[in-house]
Amino acid sequence: MKKEWKRFIKDLGIPARFLSRNEFSSEFGTGLTAFPAILVQAGKDLSRVISTEEINQCRALEDLISLLRQRFADIR
């Protein structure tokens, strides 16, 4: 994991977990989302914050960080 990304996630102040496809499937089941994706869990509910397509459109880490900041601002 890149240091800048790790620092950004830590500074969000939101508990975060990074799961492999197998770990995710074991915990939540299969077919819920394509990977990679950024999801938010509220209780037992999962919401997709950033899709695979959106992640793939990011050309640099800064693009992904900017997109995630924007989405979290929209959620709050």
Side-chain angles (χ1 to χ4, degrees), residues 14 21 42 60:
I14 299 171
R21 185 183 317 256

Side-chain angles (χ1 to χ4, degrees), residues 36-54:
I38 298 176
L39 309 168
V40 171
Q41 183 178 7
K44 293 185 179 185
D45 296 329
L46 290 174
S47 299
R48 185 178 310 123
V49 176
I50 300 178
S51 70
T52 303
E53 293 80 18
E54 292 170 313

Side-chain angles (χ1 to χ4, degrees), residues 20-39:
S20 69
R21 185 183 317 256
N22 290 339
E23 291 169 323
F24 183 88
S25 295
S26 293
E27 188 169 338
F28 297 102
T30 59
L32 295 176
T33 191
F35 295 95
I38 298 176
L39 309 168

Side-chain angles (χ1 to χ4, degrees), residues 18 30 49 51 59 66 72:
F18 295 86
T30 59
V49 176
S51 70
R59 297 291 175 217
S66 177
F72 278 147

